[in-house]
Amino acid sequence: MKFSKQFEGQLIPEWKDAFVDYRQLKKDLKKIQLLNYINYTPDKHQNSSVLKSPFTSLRKYSLFGYQHEEHEPIHVHRKVASSICKEDMYETQLLEKFADTEASKEFFACLDHQLNKVNKFYRTKEKEFLERGESLKKQVDILLELKAAFMEKDGSRRSSSQESTEEESISCTFSSEEDSVRSREHQEQIHGNYTHDLGKNEAPFSDIPQSDEDERSKKMEREDGKLRTLSGHIATCKRKNVRINIPLTTPSQTLSAISYLVMEDMLNQSSKKGNAEGGVLHVNKTKLHHAEKMIKGGLIELNKGLGYLKDYRNLNLLAFIKILKKFDKVTKKQILPIYLKVVESSYFNSSDKVVKFIDEVEELFIKTFSQDDHRKAMKYLKPSQCKESDSVSFFTGLFTGCLSALLAGYGIMAHVTGLYKGQQQNSVYMETVYPVLSMFSLMFLHLFLYGCNIFAWRKTRINYSFIFELAPTKGLKYRDVFLICTMAMSAVVGLMSLHLTLLTKGYSYAQVQVIPGLLFLTFLLILVCPFNIVYRSSRYHFLCVIRNIIFSPLYKVVMLDFFMADQLCSQVPMLRNLEFVACYYITGSYKTQDYGYCMRVKQYRNLAYAVSFLPYYWRAMQCARRWFDEGETSHLVNLGKYVSAMLAAGAKLAYQKDQSVGWLCIFVVISSAATVYQLYWDFVKDWGLFQMNSKNPGLRNELMLRTKAIYYFSMGLNFTLRLAWLQTVLHSSFEDVDYRVTSLFLAALEVIRRGLWNFFRLENEHLNNAGKFRAVKTVPLPFHEVDEGD
C-alpha cells in the first residue's frame, strides 16, 4: 500500500487539516521532478560532480567531523514568532543552486508551513489536555475526600450501633447546583453552602437569602478552614466552597430540580416574612455516584485524546521522513539528515509531556476506579476492537439468496391469486395480513439503508461512532446490519409464503391468521430478550434511545436521540401499521375476522390518529429541551418546522375525511408551506449547503465526496421526494393495483429519502467537528470551586 493512502487511513479524521498536507507536498515534488526531467542535459560539470561525489561524502564523514556550514545545501532558520507565545517558526534558506530553484523554494516554503502548523497545533492541544488533566486530578481529590468522609461516617455509625433506613450522605463546605435549570451555560446556578454534618444521615443545604449566606461563609472561613459538625467532630477542608454540578440527564433529576425550584421560591417568599431557617436540600451517595461516573468518563476521554495526540506526533514525523526521502531521491541531494534534525528537535517531537501524562492518567484511573486491577482498567482505557468474522459475510450471502428465492415465490403466488389487484374477495388479506408484511418491509428497508450509511461513512472516514457516542466494541458494523436484515426478512417472507400457501389450499383465515401474530410476537420477544443473544447490547441501546424519545423532554437530548426521532418521522406509515396489528391481535379481532373493529371503536381510532402526530411531537419536545439547555434560538426555529409538519398531517387527515374544496385548499397551502420550511432546513441547516461565497456553487467549501454531481443529484431527489404528499391531491394509482400497495411504495420512497438525508446530515456534523478539531467528547466536571464572593 502507498504511504499516502496509509497515512490518510490512519490519521484522526477530525484533525485532518492539522496534519501534514502530504498530498500537497507530493504535488510540489512532482513539479520539481517534471522540471528536472525537462531541464536534464548531461554535461561535463554534472559528470565531474558525479565523480566528486564519493570523495565529497568521504570528506563529510571524515575524522575531522561533519562539515556543516560549507557544504550543506540548505539552512533552516529558527525564529521566535512573538515574545508572548514564544512559538518557534522555521524558515528554510537554499544555500546551493537546485535544478529548479523556484520550485524548490515553493517546496521548502510549504514544508516549513507544515512544520510550523504541526508544532502550533501540537502545542495547543497539549496545553488543552494537560489543563484538563490537572482539573480532573483535582476532581479525583475531592471525590476521594468525600468518599473517605462517607466511609468514616459509616464506621462511626456501625461502632455506635445506630440503624437508619435513610440513605447516607455528608457534605463539607460543598454546595450543589442542578445544571440547566435556571439558565444556560452555568449562569445563575443553583448552589449553596454545606456544613460538615457527619453526625446526621443527611447534609442540609441552606436556602436562605444571599446576604445571610455570605455572612455565614465568612464566619466559617474565619475558623481556619475547620468546619464544625453537629456531632462535635472537626473536619479540615483545605479548599473553598465547591459546587456539585450534576447535569439533568434523566427524568428523576429533571423533576427533582423542578420541584426544588418550586420549593426554593416558596422558601424565599417565607424567608422574606421572617423565616430564618430556610429550606434543606440533601445530597447523598446517589449524587456522588453520578459525580464519580462523570469523572471516570472524563478520564477515559482524556486518555483517548492523549493517545490521539501521541499518534498525531508519530504519523507526522513519519510523513516528514517519507517526503524528505522522496525529495532526496528526486534531487540527488542529502536533505533528509539536515531537515530531519530540525524536525526531531522541534516542539511536537521533542516534548515528552504527553507520554508521561498518559502514564499518570492510567495510574490514576487504575488506582481510583479499578482497585489496582490493570486488566480491568484497560478494558475502559484501551478497549479492544472486535474482529469482523467471515461467518457474518457467509450467512449474509446465504440469507440473501434465500430471501431472493422466497420473494420470487411469494410474488408468483400473489400474482396468480390476484391479491394486489384490489378485488373484493381479497379484502380480508389486504386489511389484516398485508399490514404485517408492510410493517416489516418498511422497518428492515430502513435498517438496510442504515447499513448502507455505515458503509458510506466508513469509506469517507466520517466518524459516526464519535458523533453518536457509540462504544467502539458494541456498535453494529454494516455487515451485522445486513445480516440482521436478510435473516429477518427471510423469516418474514417465508412465513408469509407459508400463510398464503395454506390459504390457497383451502384453509380458512380463522385457522391460519395466528401465523402473522406469532411472527410479530417473536420479533417483539427477541427485541426485549434479556439474554446475551442476538446483539443484546445494541438492542438494549436501541430501547434506551426509544425510551428517551418517548419521555421527551425529560431526558437530556443527545445526537443519537434526535437522529432516531427524525427516523421515526419518516416511519409514520409503519407506526400506523404497528398500531393496527397490535390492536387487531390484542383485542382478539383475528378470531372473528372483524378487522374494522379497531377503526369503529373511538379510543382505538383516536390512537391511530395520534400515532400520525407523535413522532413530530417528540421531535418538537426535543427541540424545546435543547433550547432550554443551550439557549440557542435556532432550536425554536427548528421546533417550528415540526409544528408545521403536525399541521400538515392534521390537514391531510381532515381532507381525507371531508374531501371538500375548502379542506383541499387548506391542505395544499399548509403542506406547501411545510415543504418549503423542511427543504430550507434540509439543505441549509442539516446539510450545510448554499453557503455564501463557497468555491463550490450551491454547496459548501468542504466536501467529503469528490464528485460534486452527487450533491446536486441528492438535492434534486430530496426535493422530489418531499413532494410525495401531492399523491393525496392527485389521487394517482397504478391501474388495478390496490391502494395499499401504492401507499407502501410511497412510504418506501420516504424511507429512501431519509436514508439519503442521513449521510449528508452526518457529513455536515463531522465537518463541524473537524472545523473545531473536536475528536474527543468534553465531559462536564461535577465539582466546581467557588470563590468567596460567588
Side-chain angles (χ1 to χ4, degrees), residues 84-290:
I84 300 175
C85 62
K86 296 182 179 180
E87 292 183 357
D88 296 330
M89 302 294 290
Y90 297 94
E91 185 178 347
T92 303
Q93 179 185 1
L94 304 186
L95 301 180
E96 286 187 6
K97 186 176 181 181
F98 288 75
D100 189 278
T101 306
E102 292 301 322
S104 299
K105 284 183 178 179
E106 288 182 12
F107 173 81
F108 281 107
C110 182
L111 193 64
D112 294 337
H113 172 69
Q114 299 302 319
L115 180 57
N116 295 330
K117 177 182 72 173
V118 169
N119 277 323
K120 182 178 180 181
F121 180 81
Y122 187 88
R123 191 187 296 268
T124 303
K125 282 296 175 183
E126 182 187 67
K127 181 182 178 182
E128 176 188 333
F129 288 138
L130 291 180
E131 289 177 353
R132 184 74 175 174
E134 293 302 323
S135 299
L136 282 166
K137 284 183 178 180
K138 293 179 181 178
Q139 299 286 311
V140 172
D141 291 340
I142 297 172
L143 178 67
L144 293 177
E145 187 174 341
L146 279 175
K147 292 176 74 174
F150 268 107
M151 294 177 64
E152 180 184 348
K153 179 192 165 187
D154 187 57
S156 62
R157 184 179 63 84
R158 289 179 181 177
S159 62
S160 59
S161 300
Q162 294 178 355
E163 294 184 359
S164 175
T165 57
E166 298 181 1
E167 187 176 3
E168 299 176 6
S169 69
I170 62 103
S171 60
C172 172
T173 59
F174 294 102
S175 30
S176 173
E177 69 168 342
E178 300 289 355
D179 187 30
S180 306
V181 176
R182 290 215 153 186
S183 64
R184 322 293 183 267
E185 301 293 336
H186 306 297
Q187 296 177 1
E188 302 178 12
Q189 306 203 20
I190 307 165
H191 66 277
N193 296 326
Y194 285 86
T195 58
H196 193 23
D197 294 342
L198 295 176
K200 283 192 172 183
N201 283 338
E202 297 289 347
F205 171 80
S206 294
D207 242 339
I208 56 181
Q210 188 61 39
S211 58
D212 297 340
E213 196 76 23
D214 292 339
E215 291 177 6
R216 180 169 295 185
S217 63
K218 289 177 182 178
K219 272 185 188 178
M220 296 162 89
E221 289 188 3
R222 289 192 198 106
E223 296 179 358
D224 298 327
K226 294 182 178 180
L227 306 174
R228 295 191 175 275
T229 66
L230 296 179
S231 59
H233 299 288
I234 296 177
T236 304
C237 191
K238 298 179 182 179
R239 47 185 68 81
K240 297 181 180 179
N241 293 344
V242 175
R243 298 175 185 152
I244 301 180
N245 174 18
I246 307 296
L248 308 178
T249 57
T250 62
S252 59
Q253 292 172 350
T254 304
L255 294 175
S256 64
I258 293 174
S259 61
Y260 166 69
L261 283 178
V262 175
M263 290 295 297
E264 184 191 34
D265 292 337
M266 295 173 61
L267 291 168
N268 284 338
Q269 290 177 4
S270 62
S271 64
K272 291 178 182 178
K273 297 178 181 178
N275 183 10
E277 293 183 2
V280 175
L281 176 68
H282 301 293
V283 176
N284 48 37
K285 280 187 175 180
T286 303
K287 287 191 176 182
L288 275 186
H289 178 65
H290 286 299

Side-chain angles (χ1 to χ4, degrees), residues 57 60-61 66 71-74 96 98 108 324 327-329 331-339:
S57 58
K60 284 182 181 179
Y61 299 100
Y66 184 73
H71 300 285
E72 286 184 351
I74 63 168
E96 286 187 6
F98 288 75
F108 281 107
L324 288 170
F327 184 86
D328 288 357
K329 185 177 180 181
T331 60
K332 309 301 182 188
K333 302 282 186 179
Q334 293 296 322
I335 303 298
L336 174 62
I338 303 171
Y339 204 94

Side-chain angles (χ1 to χ4, degrees), residues 270-331:
S270 62
S271 64
K272 291 178 182 178
K273 297 178 181 178
N275 183 10
E277 293 183 2
V280 175
L281 176 68
H282 301 293
V283 176
N284 48 37
K285 280 187 175 180
T286 303
K287 287 191 176 182
L288 275 186
H289 178 65
H290 286 299
E292 184 176 358
K293 286 178 67 177
M294 292 169 67
I295 296 172
K296 183 178 180 180
L299 283 173
I300 291 172
E301 291 298 319
L302 174 63
N303 185 76
K304 186 191 298 183
L306 292 170
Y308 284 164
L309 199 57
K310 183 179 177 182
D311 294 339
Y312 175 83
R313 180 183 67 178
N314 296 335
L315 282 173
N316 281 308
L317 178 62
L318 187 59
F320 280 116
I321 294 174
K322 290 288 184 180
I323 200 65
L324 288 170
K325 281 184 177 179
K326 288 180 178 293
F327 184 86
D328 288 357
K329 185 177 180 181
V330 170
T331 60

Side-chain angles (χ1 to χ4, degrees), residues 431-442:
E431 290 286 354
T432 59
V433 182
Y434 186 73
V436 178
L437 178 62
S438 175
M439 176 184 66
F440 284 117
S441 298
L442 292 174

Side-chain angles (χ1 to χ4, degrees), residues 674-687:
T675 300
V676 173
Y677 203 157
Q678 292 162 356
L679 285 172
Y680 166 78
W681 205 268
D682 284 346
F683 294 145
V684 178
K685 298 296 183 179
D686 290 337
W687 292 5

